[in-house]
Amino acid sequence: MTAWSLACPDWAARIQAGQSLLPEMPLLLRAEAERAVTIFNRLRLPDVPGRPPLSTAGGDWQRDIVRALFGSWDGTERHIREIFALVPKKNAKTTAGAAIMVTALLMNRRPRAEFIIVAPTQDVSDLAYRQAVGMIEADPVLAAKFHVQEHLKRITYRPTNAFLKVKSFDPKIVTGTKPAGILLDELHVIAEAPDADRVIGQIRGGLISQPEGFLITITTQSERPPAGVFRAELMKARKVRDGVLQAPILPVLYEFPPEVEWRDPANWKMVTPNDGRSITVQRLVPDYHAAVEAGEEELRRWASQHLNVEIGLALLSDAWAGAEHWEPQADPDLTLNQLLRRADVVTVGIDGGGLDDLLGLSVIGRDAITRDWLLWSRAWAHPIVLERRKSEAARMQDFARDGDLRIVARLGDDVEEVADLVADIDRAGLLHAVGLDPVGIGGIVDALAERHITGDRVVGIPQGWRISGAIKTLERKLADGTLRHPGQALMAWCVGNARVEPRGNAVTITKQAAGKAKIDPLVAAFNAAELMSRNPEARSAPSIFLI
């Protein structure tokens, strides 16, 4: 079988010009594709006055998906087995999904074929079912050919006995089934379930036995920084779109190119494919201004849902002041090795608690020329953290894949690895001192001593309100642009988790305020900042040995 290229490297130009995001597909079976579009177009919106047909009420992006899906099945092999559509709210995603699956029932030739719509919640499941049933009931011919079972949320097409089920997400949904087609609605919500990655793996496994089987994902961007299976699927779709990965996945991603200013309403039409139908750009403008007035937290949430703006750093009302300036100071090219090459002196901060905490390490180097601060971080975790913090387990696995979090199997390996890294920095001739929380540091101090890092080079950093100076120092250096960091997702998460508690004229950021979320590497950064703010003398010229 010749693999179809589904890359669309000119997507940025296409989306700005209002063109289709589908790549050229010369092998598409045009007759089947247009037959499916004709069926789709004749379906009617059941909840709109006059029940208009989708030929006028549906968006071109919906017909693009229908054309690609049904035109890629040649009777023997499906050349597009998956479609990943990233579409903002109010663009009729759930209605489009219901219409596509009704079209699939009518196009299907397999007797007793099973099709499933999986929604994240009972409410969304009910809406998808009502839309599918309403489209059938709006056409007398279809109403006679379908059998609707309300109590089962099951719709059967009598000529083939193929049926469509609509379900809310549950790990049991794929048990014992071999579906011919599945549509996942709002993957970013489904992905928050602890078993989401396993279930989606089972879904793919169930489709293997059906040569015509397909998986459609239609989702909005996440309200939180993407994580887990949602992040993995989104990144995979982007790689296919950009030509980095060859896979039978059609990406239809309505998101702004990096160079486009998303806050300008003049640009919103490019990510609003149903503009003029279920939504208009003009109706978004008042909501946008209301979100601006409500603050940065609400603005980011609103933009993620209505404009598909990816949140890199979640902000809450009691967020640390430095969080607002965190993202602009990211330098993705900054590595620990580069930091050591540029620095004339280095301080290290370490912070960690019990077994269900992270062990965080942060390195701050002072640039020998500009005297700007360069920050790099890493964390370690025992598997018990993933077990006790299941809601964040997928996110931590992402950090591990990024290389910023090490999951150690044996208790004590984390301390040894931290001490080894500090020793490597010391051998480079740059280490000034290591700052730690005075409480519970015995194991780390012993490991450092074994590597000849002792005495005044191991400093207890008082916590609570007494570290307020370091917190404010980092805030100012982020705001004035004199601190750079690699833009690690791990640290963006920790920064977003930080909660500020006023203490008179001081402020404190504590693990208790952060709750189940983790901030250990950020606290380690405050410890390192406390030492660097003392303006340590530059060490002798660094060794040619760098880690």
Side-chain angles (χ1 to χ4, degrees):
M1 181 185 73
T2 301
W4 290 14
S5 173
L6 300 176
C8 189
D10 62 341
W11 71 273
R14 284 173 174 260
I15 201 169
Q16 292 180 72
Q19 299 172 349
S20 170
L21 297 184
L22 265 65
E24 296 299 325
M25 292 182 282
L27 298 179
L28 199 71
L29 279 72
R30 300 295 170 183
E32 285 294 287
E34 294 311 318
R35 176 171 172 256
V37 169
T38 298
I39 292 172
F40 178 87
N41 280 341
R42 292 185 63 179
L43 298 175
R44 293 179 175 273
L45 290 182
D47 55 351
V48 174
R51 295 193 292 193
L54 290 177
S55 57
T56 57
D60 288 338
W61 72 273
Q62 299 167 357
R63 280 180 283 275
D64 281 346
I65 290 175
V66 170
R67 191 172 286 113
L69 178 65
F70 297 102
S72 65
W73 166 242
D74 62 11
T76 302
E77 188 66 43
R78 180 173 294 286
H79 298 273
I80 298 176
R81 295 192 64 84
E82 298 186 24
I83 296 175
F84 188 97
L86 185 71
V87 187
K89 272 187 175 180
K90 305 303 180 184
N91 281 274
K93 295 189 311 303
T94 299
T95 298
I100 291 169
M101 296 305 276
V102 171
T103 301
L105 280 173
L106 294 168
M107 290 288 292
N108 166 71
R109 294 178 175 87
R110 178 187 291 272
R112 301 186 179 276
E114 179 178 1
F115 297 88
I116 303 174
I117 296 178
V118 181
T121 64
Q122 187 68 41
D123 287 344
V124 178
S125 172
D126 290 342
L127 173 59
Y129 178 74
R130 290 197 306 269
Q131 294 298 86
V133 171
M135 291 174 189
I136 290 167
E137 293 177 342
D139 187 306
V141 174
L142 293 183
K145 291 187 175 184
F146 280 91
H147 176 46
V148 176
Q149 296 171 280
E150 292 278 352
H151 64 295
L152 297 176
K153 284 189 182 176
R154 175 171 168 148
I155 305 167
T156 303
Y157 183 52
R158 299 180 193 273
T160 61
N161 279 322
F163 59 92
L164 171 65
K165 289 182 178 179
V166 182
K167 301 183 177 184
S168 52
F169 180 80
D170 187 287
K172 300 176 183 177
I173 58 173
V174 293
T175 303
T177 64
K178 294 181 179 179
I182 292 184
L183 185 141
L184 294 179
D185 194 1
E186 296 293 24
L187 177 63
H188 78 280
V189 180
I190 290 174
E192 295 179 1
D195 294 326
D197 56 344
R198 180 178 63 83
V199 173
I200 291 175
Q202 290 178 342
I203 287 174
R204 287 195 169 103
L207 290 168
I208 289 176
S209 63
Q210 310 284 45
E212 76 274 33
F214 64 81
L215 171 63
I216 302 174
T217 300
I218 302 181
T219 185
T220 304
Q221 183 56 263
S222 174
E223 293 186 14
R224 303 171 65 195
V229 69
F230 173 72
R231 178 178 183 261
E233 296 297 317
L234 176 58
M235 295 296 289
K236 182 164 59 176
R238 286 172 174 164
K239 288 179 180 178
V240 173
R241 177 195 64 188
D242 298 340
V244 176
L245 174 67
Q246 177 79 23
I249 302 170
L250 177 66
V252 185
L253 309 178
Y254 285 94
E255 56 185 359
F256 291 107
E259 67 272 15
V260 172
E261 173 51 61
W262 68 262
R263 295 173 189 257
D264 184 354
N267 295 326
W268 293 356
K269 186 177 178 65
M270 67 179 69
V271 294
T272 312
N274 240 43
D275 183 39
R277 296 176 179 86
S278 59
I279 187 64
T280 65
V281 167
Q282 289 73 19
R283 291 209 299 271
L284 291 174
V285 174
D287 287 349
Y288 166 70
H289 290 305
V292 171
E293 288 298 315
E296 185 70 16
E297 174 193 354
E298 174 59 18
L299 177 59
R300 289 182 179 225
R301 187 209 62 78
W302 182 90
S304 73
Q305 296 302 284
H306 294 279
L307 301 177
N308 269 350
V309 174
E310 181 174 323
I311 293 179
L313 177 64
L315 291 182
L316 298 178
S317 55
D318 55 352
W320 173 47
E324 185 175 347
H325 307 284
W326 184 262
E327 289 175 311
Q329 292 308 111
D331 176 3
D333 295 327
L334 180 62
T335 64
L336 178 58
N337 239 334
Q338 187 185 89
L339 180 155
L340 298 179
R341 292 183 185 280
R342 291 170 58 181
D344 63 358
V345 67
V346 165
T347 61
V348 174
I350 300 173
D351 185 78
L355 287 179
D356 60 347
D357 276 328
L358 301 182
L359 175 57
L361 175 143
S362 286
V363 179
I364 293 180
R366 186 177 65 202
D367 191 292
I369 298 174
T370 67
R371 298 186 69 79
D372 290 350
W373 289 10
L374 309 173
L375 170 66
W376 179 91
S377 304
R378 178 172 285 173
W380 286 258
H382 190 270
I384 197 170
V385 177
L386 307 184
E387 181 63 28
R388 293 184 179 177
R389 310 294 186 188
K390 289 184 178 179
S391 62
E392 300 295 347
R395 193 177 302 276
M396 292 189 191
Q397 294 285 5
D398 290 340
F399 301 150
R401 282 187 286 270
D402 292 342
D404 299 323
L405 173 67
R406 289 267 299 125
I407 299 175
V408 297
R410 190 175 68 87
L411 188 63
D413 284 351
D414 51 352
V415 171
E416 293 298 315
E417 291 184 16
V418 165
D420 284 343
L421 198 151
V422 175
D424 287 341
I425 295 172
D426 189 34
R427 283 195 294 272
L430 294 168
L431 181 65
H432 168 65
V434 180
L436 313 95
D437 183 343
V439 178
I441 62 173
I444 296 174
V445 172
D446 291 344
L448 292 174
E450 291 175 2
R451 292 154 180 84
H452 309 293
I453 302 170
T454 58
D456 59 3
R457 292 204 296 160
V458 180
V459 182
I461 305 295
Q463 302 296 298
W465 63 267
R466 289 169 293 183
I467 203 172
S468 179
I471 294 172
K472 292 182 177 180
T473 296
L474 279 190
E475 290 173 5
R476 292 187 63 86
K477 294 193 75 65
L478 285 164
D480 67 18
T482 58
L483 184 144
R484 304 289 286 174
H485 59 83
Q488 295 159 297
L490 166 70
M491 285 299 285
W493 179 63
C494 293
V495 168
N497 291 338
R499 303 287 177 270
V500 172
E501 294 182 338
R503 290 286 188 274
N505 292 329
V507 296
T508 183
I509 295 176
T510 66
K511 296 177 184 179
Q512 289 75 19
K516 67 180 181 181
K518 299 300 179 184
I519 61 171
D520 306 87
L522 177 62
V523 175
F526 295 145
N527 292 341
E530 172 64 26
L531 296 176
M532 188 60 78
S533 66
R534 300 174 187 179
N535 195 27
E537 290 186 13
R539 306 287 291 184
S540 57
S543 164
I544 60 170
F545 173 78
L546 292 173
I547 63 176

